[in-house]
């Protein structure tokens, strides 16, 4: 990272510079990772983004965080917390591992409490981004008609294109898990799941009802396309999803949901718009039927895993099935789906949903 071009981190509507980090790996202490951000500068002082309460002893501020992230504030042997306390002249109380609660910062000076809070927020944000995705917002596309048409598509592709390089039955999606993803989530506690449910309900009240008219959105799942730029070396083939009436309402709805969740911090901003697609073939399935696209390529501490993929030649499939129709659907619910789970119908388990009608 260049000193003159440090990474910027947005927290609570304010922008901070994040200095280069120094990480050490201990062979026998991987779980108790020590990590300290160093000095984090605020664009202006004083900072009014935090609620700091004056007490008889000085000043006090609390931070809500899932217990899974406490260890990153404590650090190995408590070193991170000690360094924070010394440099900001504060005292930081952290709940015991496994116990939900609040991190409490106290100090004689308001500026020190604010500085400690800022640094803790950067630590929490950094390590939250290193967590694997746990949930995702999605429409289910697994109506019976669509599943039957998908199986017909698979049968015909294998019948007509099985001689093409890399094409076999292992790379097809499970028809019971057909879905349209709006955004990926990291939810580390029941409270965060509840917060996501409440956010979805707010979206419904503020704009989903207006866009949908209080009725299911009638869509067509038809036509296929590939993700990369070489049809002869394809890793992901997907079906396109669009409104039957030709309107842009589905795109508008999902983009506004994405924007709202990005603004809240529940979804990290990667894209400005949702790509409306339903994956039907993915080469990651070849070795792992439970793989979930590119979101399955990171370890729990956020390190990238290289998975060798054998691409397939999709040219004949694209030519023969360019306009294949998988059927029509009525989208009536956005689900908070949990990754790597299966419900009684073979679909992803849903932790919550909002219905249009």
């Amino acid at each position: 990272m260049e000193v003159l071009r440090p990474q910027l981190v947005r927290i609570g509507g304010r922008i901070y510079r994040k200095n280069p980090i120094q990480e050490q790996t201990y062979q026998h202490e991987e779980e108790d990772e020590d990590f300290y951000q160093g000095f984090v500068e605020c664009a202006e002082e004083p900072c009014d983004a935090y609620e700091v309460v004056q007490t008889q002893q000085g000043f006090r501020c609390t931070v809500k965080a899932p217990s899974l992230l406490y260890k990153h504030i404590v650090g190995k042997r408590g070193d991170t917390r000690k360094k924070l306390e010394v440099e900001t002249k504060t005292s930081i109380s952290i709940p015991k591992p496994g116990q939900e609660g609040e991190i409490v910062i106290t100090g004689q000076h308001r500026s020190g409490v604010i500085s400690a809070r800022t640094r803790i927020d950067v630590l929490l944000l950094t390590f939250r981004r290193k967590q694997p995705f746990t949930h995702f917002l999605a429409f289910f596309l697994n109506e019976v008609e669509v599943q039957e048409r998908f199986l017909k598509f698979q049968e015909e592709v294998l019948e007509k294109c099985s001689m093409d390089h890399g094409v076999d039955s292992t790379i097809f999606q499970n028809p019971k898990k057909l879905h349209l993803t709006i955004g990926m989530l990291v939810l580390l506690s029941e409270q965060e799941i509840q917060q996501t449910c409440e956010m979805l309900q707010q979206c419904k009240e503020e704009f989903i009802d207006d866009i949908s008219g209080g009725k299911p959105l009638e869509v067509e799942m038809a036509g296929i396309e590939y993700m990369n730029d070489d049809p002869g070396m394809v890793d992901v083939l997907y079906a396109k999803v669009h409104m039957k009436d030709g309107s842009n309402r589905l795109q508008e709805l999902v983009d506004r949901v994405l924007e709202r969740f990005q603004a809240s911090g529940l979804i990290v901003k990667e894209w400005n718009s949702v790509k409306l697609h339903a994956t039907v073939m993915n080469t990651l399935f070849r070795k792992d039927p439970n793989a979930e696209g590119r979101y399955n390529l990171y370890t729990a501490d956020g390190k990238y895993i290289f998975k060798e993929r054998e691409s397939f030649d999709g040219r004949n499939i694209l030519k023969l099935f360019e306009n294949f129709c998988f059927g029509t659907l009525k989208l009536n619910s956005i689900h908070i789906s949990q990754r790597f789970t299966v419900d009684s119908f073979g679909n992803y388990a849903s932790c919550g949903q909002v219905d249009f009608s």
Side-chain angles (χ1 to χ4, degrees):
M1 184 186 300
E2 296 183 18
V3 175
L4 298 178
R5 294 183 180 179
Q7 181 180 351
L8 300 180
V9 179
R10 181 180 294 274
I11 299 175
R14 300 173 67 83
I15 297 177
Y16 301 89
R17 293 188 288 273
K18 190 171 98 174
N19 279 2
I21 63 173
Q22 186 172 2
E23 293 184 84
Q24 290 180 310
T25 301
Y26 295 81
Q27 185 175 358
H28 302 293
E29 296 182 304
E30 292 88 351
E31 293 303 315
D32 188 18
E33 184 176 7
D34 186 20
F35 180 101
Y36 185 65
Q37 286 297 131
F39 185 72
V40 181
E41 297 175 332
C42 179
E44 12 174 319
E45 291 290 348
C47 178
D48 298 321
Y50 304 129
E51 183 179 350
V52 180
V53 178
Q54 188 167 8
T55 66
Q56 291 182 344
Q57 291 76 32
F59 295 88
R60 182 178 186 271
C61 183
T62 60
V63 186
K64 290 184 179 179
S67 60
L68 276 172
L69 298 181
Y70 291 163
K71 65 180 181 181
H72 302 302
I73 310 303
V74 175
K76 287 186 179 69
R77 299 173 295 276
D79 289 347
T80 300
R81 174 168 59 183
K82 290 174 186 175
K83 191 166 185 178
L84 281 169
E85 290 177 329
V86 169
E87 293 188 356
T88 61
K89 296 179 178 155
T90 59
S91 176
I92 301 171
S93 174
I94 302 173
K96 293 180 180 180
Q99 294 182 355
E100 296 295 337
E102 292 183 327
I103 298 171
V104 180
I105 308 165
T106 55
Q108 293 294 316
H109 304 285
R110 186 174 186 273
S111 60
V113 171
I114 289 174
S115 178
R117 170 63 192 269
T118 300
R119 299 180 194 205
I120 288 173
D121 277 352
V122 172
L123 283 169
L124 291 172
L125 179 62
T126 298
F127 283 101
R128 175 178 288 277
R129 287 182 173 177
K130 288 190 173 187
Q131 301 299 311
F133 292 114
T134 60
H135 299 74
F136 58 97
L137 298 178
F139 290 103
F140 292 160
L141 305 176
N142 58 350
E143 292 187 9
V144 174
E145 176 196 354
V146 173
Q147 288 194 49
E148 292 175 348
R149 290 290 296 163
F150 173 85
L151 291 173
K152 181 67 173 176
F153 168 78
Q154 178 175 338
E155 178 186 343
E156 292 187 9
V157 167
L158 292 175
E159 179 183 329
K160 299 176 181 178
C161 306
S162 61
M163 297 302 293
D164 294 342
H165 176 76
V167 176
D168 62 50
S169 61
T170 64
I171 63 176
F172 287 85
Q173 173 67 284
N174 179 343
K176 295 178 180 179
K177 289 189 172 183
L178 288 167
H179 63 277
L180 187 160
T181 300
I182 299 173
M184 304 299 297
L185 299 157
V186 175
L187 305 179
L188 302 178
S189 67
E190 288 298 324
Q191 289 84 351
E192 292 187 349
I193 293 175
Q194 182 59 37
Q195 182 186 357
T196 303
C197 291
E198 292 170 358
M199 180 71 67
L200 264 185
Q201 184 60 37
Q202 291 175 15
C203 290
K204 172 180 168 59
E205 295 170 359
E206 294 178 17
F207 58 83
I208 288 178
D209 283 345
D210 288 340
I211 296 174
S212 67
K215 299 177 181 178
L217 297 179
E218 294 191 39
V219 303
E220 185 175 40
M221 185 171 156
I224 57 172
E225 191 55 84
Y226 59 104
M227 284 291 188
N228 59 312
D229 57 2
D230 184 356
M233 295 284 287
V234 176
D235 283 318
V236 176
L237 190 79
Y238 64 89
K240 294 179 279 190
V241 181
H242 57 268
M243 290 290 298
K244 279 197 70 176
D245 62 10
S247 72
N248 199 43
R249 287 188 298 151
L250 176 60
Q251 187 71 63
E252 179 187 358
L253 189 151
V254 296
D255 284 349
R256 290 190 65 178
V257 170
L258 178 68
E259 181 183 15
R260 176 60 57 85
F261 273 80
Q262 288 175 336
S264 72
L266 285 168
I267 290 180
V268 176
K269 186 168 184 178
E270 291 185 284
W271 322 105
N272 293 321
S273 181
V274 177
K275 187 177 184 67
L276 297 174
H277 73 285
T279 298
V280 294
M281 299 173 70
N282 189 331
T283 56
L284 282 180
F285 299 152
R286 195 187 306 280
K287 293 184 178 180
D288 181 4
N290 296 313
E292 296 178 6
R294 67 187 182 90
Y295 304 109
N296 200 35
L297 297 177
Y298 294 86
T299 62
D301 61 358
K303 291 185 172 60
Y304 181 77
I305 301 173
F306 175 74
K307 283 196 173 184
E308 186 177 352
R309 302 172 70 160
E310 181 190 351
S311 301
F312 66 92
D313 186 345
R315 287 173 292 186
N316 283 331
I317 299 175
L318 290 162
K319 180 179 179 180
L320 296 172
F321 301 94
E322 179 182 6
N323 298 311
F324 188 91
C325 181
F326 293 88
T328 58
L329 309 96
K330 292 185 177 181
L331 304 183
N332 192 44
S333 304
I334 296 176
H335 292 265
I336 304 168
S337 300
Q338 186 173 353
R339 297 182 70 209
F340 308 117
T341 61
V342 179
D343 64 13
S344 58
F345 300 101
N347 196 4
Y348 293 101
S350 178
C351 301
Q353 67 187 72
V354 64
D355 299 324
F356 298 173
S357 63

